[in-house]
Structures are given as structure tokens and as C-alpha cells.
């Protein structure tokens, strides 16, 4: 379902660029027995909403340099998908596609666009969906057969 309805970013025309003053960030990495959580958020002065770096983009994001070089009050340039425009200045999260602070790029939109293109062309969503459907049918049939043999 997600693969069928997901908004697609194909080129820079699908992105909105804004400049502002960096306020703060929150980078949360949790590793546990059953799950891993990565929540990377940025806040920019004058915007009520948080900006988030998607977990898919963390391999591209230069976190170490960002934490050491970026300080409150620095000039920041970001881009985000045009279909998130309605989320600006609400409490909803807006996903980032690039981050540039003081002429240094921490998240490159060219890399993000190629990654998004790769995801869009992939049929893995369909294969995973079919696997879950087949597993559900198999489990249902097996359950019905066991139930009939008891009586």
C-alpha cells in the first residue's frame, strides 16, 4: 500500500528550499533487544515544526561533522519535498532532503534524489506484500485443516 501511494521525489523541482537560523537538534539512537530507533530532528528559528532526517538517509548524513561544526545561530539552508509544504509551521514533522550550514553540506540532495529514484524503481514493496499475503493464506489454511481434524 505504501509503495503504491507514496509521494515520489524525482528531481530538484519536487523540492522546496528555505534558509534560516539554526536553533537546535536532537539525535536519538536507541538499540535494544527487539528494535532499533533513530530519530534525528532539527529546529529552525521561525518555524514551529520539527524537521526530520529520515532513517533511510542516515547513511548519507554526516552526523559527526554536524555535531562538531554546527552551533546555535548558524545560517542553515535546507530542502524538503514540495508535498510537505502544508506541514510548515504546524506540529507535523517535515522530512529533510538536504542540509547545508555555513557552505558545508551535511546531507546532499543529489545523493537523496538518487536514493529516492532507486527506491521508486524497486519492486521490493510488492514482493514483501505478496510474501505477507501468501504467509497469511498458508497460516489460515493450516489452521482450518487442524481444526477439522480435531472433530
Amino acid at each position: 500500500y505504501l509503495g503504491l501511494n507514496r509521494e515520489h521525489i524525482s528531481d530538484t523541482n519536487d523540492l522546496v528550499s528555505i534558509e534560516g537560523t539554526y536553533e537546535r537538534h536532537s539525535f536519538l539512537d536507541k538499540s535494544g533487544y527487539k528494535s532499533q530507533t533513530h530519530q534525528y530532528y532539527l529546529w529552525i528559528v521561525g518555524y514551529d515544526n520539527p524537521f526530520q532526517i529520515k532513517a533511510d538517509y542516515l547513511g548519507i548524513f554526516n552526523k559527526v561533522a554536524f555535531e562538531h561544526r554546527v552551533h546555535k545561530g548558524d545560517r542553515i539552508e535546507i530542502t524538503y519535498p514540495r508535498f510537505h509544504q502544508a506541514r510548515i509551521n504546524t506540529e507535523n514533522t517535515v522530512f529533510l532532503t538536504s542540509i547545508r550550514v555555513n557552505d558545508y553540506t551535511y546531507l546532499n540532495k543529489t545523493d537523496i534524489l538518487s536514493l529516492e529514484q532507486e527506491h521508486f524503481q524497486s519492486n521490493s514493496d510488492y514482493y514483501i506484500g505478496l510474501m505477507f499475503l501468501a504467509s497469511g493464506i498458508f497460516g489460515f489454511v493450516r489452521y482450518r485443516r487442524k481444526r477439522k481434524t480435531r472433530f
Side-chain angles (χ1 to χ4, degrees), residues 98-113:
S98 74
I99 303 170
R100 187 170 175 84
V101 181
N102 299 332
D103 295 324
Y104 186 87
T105 302
Y106 298 93
L107 185 64
N108 191 330
K109 68 181 161 192
T110 306
D111 295 338
I112 298 300
L113 289 171

Side-chain angles (χ1 to χ4, degrees), residues 4-21:
L4 297 175
N5 291 350
R6 183 173 54 191
E7 296 282 353
H8 177 57
I9 304 169
S10 59
D11 59 29
T12 55
N13 294 327
D14 296 331
L15 303 177
V16 176
S17 179
I18 61 172
E19 291 184 20
T21 304

Side-chain angles (χ1 to χ4, degrees), residues 28-139:
L28 176 66
D29 290 307
K30 278 188 180 177
S31 295
Y33 173 67
K34 290 189 176 185
S35 67
Q36 283 188 330
T37 301
H38 303 287
Q39 297 174 341
Y40 287 32
Y41 294 98
L42 300 176
W43 285 268
I44 298 174
V45 174
Y47 292 91
D48 296 331
N49 57 285
F51 294 92
Q52 183 177 16
I53 302 168
K54 286 175 64 174
D56 293 347
Y57 305 160
L58 295 182
I60 299 169
F61 177 57
N62 191 344
K63 175 187 173 187
V64 174
F66 187 92
E67 290 180 316
H68 286 91
R69 292 176 145 181
V70 179
H71 305 287
K72 184 175 183 173
D74 284 350
R75 195 86 189 135
I76 186 169
E77 303 168 37
I78 62 166
T79 59
Y80 60 88
R82 189 170 299 284
F83 54 83
H84 279 195
Q85 185 68 36
R87 295 182 179 191
I88 293 295
N89 285 323
T90 67
E91 292 185 13
N92 296 322
T93 301
V94 174
F95 292 125
L96 294 174
T97 52
S98 74
I99 303 170
R100 187 170 175 84
V101 181
N102 299 332
D103 295 324
Y104 186 87
T105 302
Y106 298 93
L107 185 64
N108 191 330
K109 68 181 161 192
T110 306
D111 295 338
I112 298 300
L113 289 171
S114 65
L115 182 67
E116 283 292 326
Q117 195 65 24
E118 189 178 303
H119 282 285
F120 183 73
Q121 292 174 349
S122 170
N123 291 327
S124 62
D125 290 346
Y126 300 114
Y127 295 132
I128 291 170
L130 288 174
M131 283 180 8
F132 276 112
L133 180 64
S135 298
I137 292 170
F138 176 74

